[in-house]
Amino acid sequence: MALVTNRLGETISRKARSKLGIRFGRFAVAAVTAFVTTEVTYTICAGLLNLTSTWATLIAWFSGALVSYVLSRWAWKRKGRPNLLRETVPFWIVSAMVVAILTLATKFGYHSSGWLHLRGVERVLYIDAITGGANLGTFVLRFLFFHYVLFAGSAQAAPGAAEEALVSADPGPEPFNRAADSTGPMRAVPDGEEPGDPGDS
């Protein structure tokens, strides 16, 4: 049992240190920070500023999504000016889709709790389970989309870079020329001449 536990721990540790594991860990930090930002912003808008629920929700969502965008670029080490059509627009489309999914999940939780005649603590826990599952699902889907689609290929080498590196590392025919001119025991033997011919002397 201890051997299985040790191997499982080593596997998890190795995965966590991999490129995918590091990206996942950073994205988790980005997601938690964005969630906290959304909650704090909503509290300020709805409480201190006394805005309507619609405006408070929109401002809170935008604030959280903005933090998520900045930290997601940090998670995948994207630097410089972002590409509007290939990066920024797809990110905000996905963010809007996530909000729509979470809203539908919440409404489903409310309505289905009524169908099941749940009351009190049972109703609250049931709705929390529905929204929590939706949040977890969208978290995983966003990570997969960001890692394999949106931010994929950020570390690809420029076309021809590998070929240029090989060319620059090629010493050329000079060593062979030196071997042909050598008179030592390891000198190159010309075509048609056998080792030990009189020409060797």
Side-chain angles (χ1 to χ4, degrees):
M1 183 65 181
L3 180 60
V4 174
T5 303
N6 291 337
R7 288 184 176 179
L8 180 61
E10 292 176 0
T11 302
I12 295 175
S13 178
R14 186 170 61 253
K15 292 292 185 181
R17 292 194 301 267
S18 66
K19 183 177 180 180
L20 182 64
I22 293 174
R23 293 287 186 270
F24 186 83
R26 289 190 170 200
F27 182 69
V29 172
V32 171
T33 306
F35 175 77
V36 172
T37 302
T38 300
E39 292 299 312
V40 171
T41 304
Y42 183 83
T43 301
I44 293 174
C45 292
L48 297 178
L49 301 180
N50 198 26
L51 298 179
T52 62
S53 60
T54 300
W55 278 108
T57 301
L58 288 176
I59 294 175
W61 166 77
F62 179 80
S63 301
L66 184 61
V67 170
S68 176
Y69 179 59
V70 173
L71 292 183
S72 294
R73 298 192 84 240
W74 160 77
W76 275 270
K77 296 183 178 181
R78 298 301 291 262
K79 299 179 180 179
R81 189 174 183 178
N83 188 297
L84 180 63
L85 296 179
R86 294 182 180 179
E87 180 179 316
T88 306
V89 172
F91 176 88
W92 287 99
I93 291 176
V94 170
S95 297
M97 292 174 62
V98 167
V99 171
I101 292 173
L102 295 180
T103 301
L104 292 174
T106 303
K107 289 185 177 181
F108 173 77
Y110 272 87
H111 289 296
S112 58
S113 65
W115 302 335
L116 298 173
H117 305 290
L118 300 178
R119 296 290 184 271
V121 177
E122 290 183 349
R123 179 175 181 273
V124 173
L125 293 177
Y126 175 78
I127 295 175
D128 284 345
I130 295 294
T131 56
N135 271 292
L136 181 60
T138 55
F139 170 80
V140 174
L141 290 176
R142 280 191 301 146
F143 174 76
L144 295 175
F145 176 77
F146 291 166
H147 188 73
Y148 292 107
V149 179
L150 190 63
F151 297 126
S154 58
Q156 288 182 354
E163 296 178 3
E164 293 178 2
L166 289 174
V167 171
S168 62
D170 185 8
E174 184 178 353
F176 298 102
N177 292 336
R178 288 200 300 267
D181 294 338
S182 174
T183 57
M186 298 300 293
R187 74 178 183 86
V189 179
D191 293 339
E193 181 179 333
E194 296 294 334
D197 284 351
D200 291 342
S201 59

